[in-house]
Amino acid sequence: MKHRWVVGIAVLACLVVAGGAAARTQLGSSTKATKVTLQLKWVTQAQFAGYYAAKAKGYYSQAGLDVNLKVGGPTITPEQVVLGKQAEFGIDWTPSLLSFRDTGKKIISIAQVFWKSGMTELTWKDSGITTIAKMRGKKVGVWCCGNENELYAALVKNGMDPKDKNDVTIVNQPFNMDLFLSREVDAAAAMTYNELAQVLEAKNPKTGKLYQLSDLNVISMEDGKKGAGTAMLEDEIFVRDDWIKDKKNQAIAKKFLAASFRGWIYCRDHSKDCVNIVLRNGPTLQRGHHTWQMNEINALIWPNKLGIGIMDAKAFDRTARIARQFGVIKKAPSGAYRTDLAKAAVAQLKAQGIDVLGKKWKKAKVKVTEGGK
């Protein structure tokens, strides 16, 4: 009797397990992941590591999303891609979004990932160009297509018209530092996480050694003392106004933001692994360069006083004020962003015990390698 009772229990247990597996299989087959596309601002690099990590670590799939990360490039404008319904989400700098809205294009920011600007202008130490004001009469490099707004605002602030060659000669800068390294321009645009590293990864022909920060003047757009102070918000997540009005799409957006933020949090705490993830997705840039970039990108996100992705109203107002004051937009923006979705995503992560502020994060010391190897 005892033997048959044990066998009966075992059979019953097997039936329960089998039934549960069948139920899960049936559930999995009937529940399809929602497909969405994120248009990146640029090519695959650590600037977007959080999104690649969210996909690689399964955060998107756990949220029921099948996310396509669409790479950008010099001929791709994320706003146009989103407005053309080729992507639900896009990443770009806030001034660019404002300029589109200023012409009647209906897009809206739903999350602000970077809380400060990473843009600088570089000059050589021996040039004596230590401030924006000293760029008068000089050749100044900057990228086009919405990337020039912070510099233009700084030049106007210092009494120069970027379109008047009697004041300053603007050079349409390629997305490398060749013109600067060959001294064909007096100043060059450089993001802390990318082009600055490109210069430091190059050899000084006079010494045969890598260039050092001591060879450069680094004029941050955040630095009012050097005549800038025109820093604008960068790397926000935006969508179409009409798309986000749908309650179903709002739910999708909350899931997308929570998973994306979780990816960025993972990169904050596991930067080396995130470099590996980026390299697996786009090996164009080398490990040393990505390591520098990951560290600098984290510095634009952490520590975060409000919670990752939540727009700081004061920072937005400063960006909008500068954009209007220096001609990027003609009228004050209204309804250009919303915070409810990011706040909901942050609250969800906090409820799971995930650190959304990163108060203890500190910038690491990264060794520069020749060519970013």
Side-chain angles (χ1 to χ4, degrees):
M1 286 293 292
K2 183 177 180 180
H3 175 71
R4 277 182 289 177
W5 180 78
V6 171
V7 171
I9 290 295
V11 171
L12 179 60
C14 288
L15 289 172
V16 170
V17 171
R24 286 193 298 272
T25 301
Q26 185 176 4
L27 179 63
S29 62
S30 63
T31 305
K32 293 183 179 179
T34 302
K35 291 186 176 183
V36 294
T37 295
L38 169 64
Q39 175 62 62
L40 303 177
K41 179 175 173 60
W42 194 239
V43 297
T44 302
Q45 56 184 23
Q47 180 182 357
F48 313 110
Y51 309 106
Y52 283 105
K55 187 165 185 174
K57 301 302 293 184
Y59 302 152
Y60 287 137
S61 60
Q62 290 169 24
L65 301 176
D66 179 2
V67 178
N68 172 36
L69 300 178
K70 196 171 184 179
V71 298
T75 61
I76 296 172
T77 302
E79 288 85 354
Q80 292 176 346
V81 175
V82 172
L83 286 165
K85 300 182 179 180
Q86 297 172 300
E88 287 73 26
F89 303 95
I91 296 174
D92 208 344
W93 294 358
T94 302
S96 183
L97 174 137
L98 293 179
S99 66
F100 269 85
R101 286 185 63 88
D102 203 49
T103 59
K105 303 296 191 299
K106 300 298 185 181
I107 48 179
I108 184 170
S109 171
I110 62 170
Q112 183 61 54
V113 178
F114 293 3
W115 69 268
K116 67 178 180 179
S117 169
M119 187 174 180
T120 72
E121 280 286 323
L122 301 185
T123 67
W124 294 107
K125 185 72 74 174
D126 59 16
S127 72
I129 305 172
T130 55
T131 66
I132 296 294
K134 291 182 178 180
M135 292 181 185
R136 182 179 293 276
K138 305 298 183 181
K139 291 183 178 179
V140 178
V142 72
W143 313 292
C144 71
C145 313
N147 298 309
E148 72 277 15
N149 295 323
E150 292 177 78
L151 173 65
Y152 279 18
L155 291 170
V156 171
K157 180 180 177 181
N158 287 270
M160 287 171 273
D161 182 353
K163 297 179 181 179
D164 187 346
K165 289 189 177 182
N166 291 318
D167 287 347
V168 62
T169 300
I170 297 297
V171 177
N172 188 9
Q173 184 176 318
F175 291 94
N176 59 49
M177 297 303 283
D178 291 352
L179 292 180
F180 182 72
L181 289 168
S182 61
R183 297 193 177 232
E184 294 178 63
V185 293
D186 301 298
M191 302 307 292
T192 55
Y193 52 81
N194 198 352
E195 290 78 17
L196 174 57
Q198 289 180 27
V199 174
L200 298 177
E201 291 161 359
K203 275 188 177 181
N204 182 342
K206 293 181 180 180
T207 66
K209 297 180 180 180
L210 298 182
Y211 284 110
Q212 304 294 311
L213 281 171
S214 58
D215 296 318
L216 305 169
N217 297 309
V218 182
I219 304 173
S220 169
M221 293 300 109
E222 296 272 358
D223 193 346
K225 292 181 180 180
K226 293 184 179 179
T230 54
M232 299 181 184
L233 291 171
E234 301 164 355
D235 282 45
E236 68 189 359
I237 300 174
F238 65 89
V239 296
R240 297 195 326 272
D241 283 22
D242 61 344
W243 184 83
I244 203 63
K245 287 179 180 178
D246 189 319
K247 293 289 185 182
K248 291 182 180 179
N249 292 336
Q250 290 175 26
I252 291 171
K254 289 177 187 177
K255 293 177 182 178
F256 174 80
L257 292 180
S260 297
F261 296 166
R262 195 176 169 193
W264 281 116
I265 291 166
Y266 182 82
C267 288
R268 177 194 70 201
D269 300 334
H270 305 86
S271 61
K272 289 183 180 180
D273 191 30
C274 278
V275 167
N276 291 332
I277 290 171
V278 172
L279 285 168
R280 288 199 294 270
N281 283 276
T284 304
L285 298 173
Q286 299 189 70
R287 182 176 299 278
H289 190 83
H290 278 305
T291 300
W292 171 283
Q293 189 170 111
M294 187 74 258
N295 190 45
E296 294 295 333
I297 289 295
N298 271 328
L300 300 181
I301 302 173
W302 312 107
N304 196 301
K305 62 181 180 180
L306 298 178
I308 181 173
I310 297 176
M311 177 71 79
D312 183 334
K314 290 182 179 180
F316 177 85
D317 290 344
R318 182 193 70 231
T319 296
R321 183 177 65 254
I322 293 170
R324 189 181 183 194
Q325 183 179 357
F326 299 114
V328 177
I329 55 177
K330 295 179 180 179
K331 54 185 180 294
S334 176
Y337 73 93
R338 58 190 292 177
T339 60
D340 58 323
L341 303 174
K343 285 181 177 178
V346 166
Q348 176 185 322
L349 296 176
K350 286 177 70 176
Q352 297 171 15
I354 297 174
D355 175 14
V356 297
L357 301 176
K359 290 182 178 180
K360 295 182 180 179
W361 181 85
K362 292 183 179 180
K363 198 172 179 181
K365 289 185 179 180
V366 175
K367 183 179 179 181
V368 178
T369 55
E370 184 179 352
K373 294 179 181 179

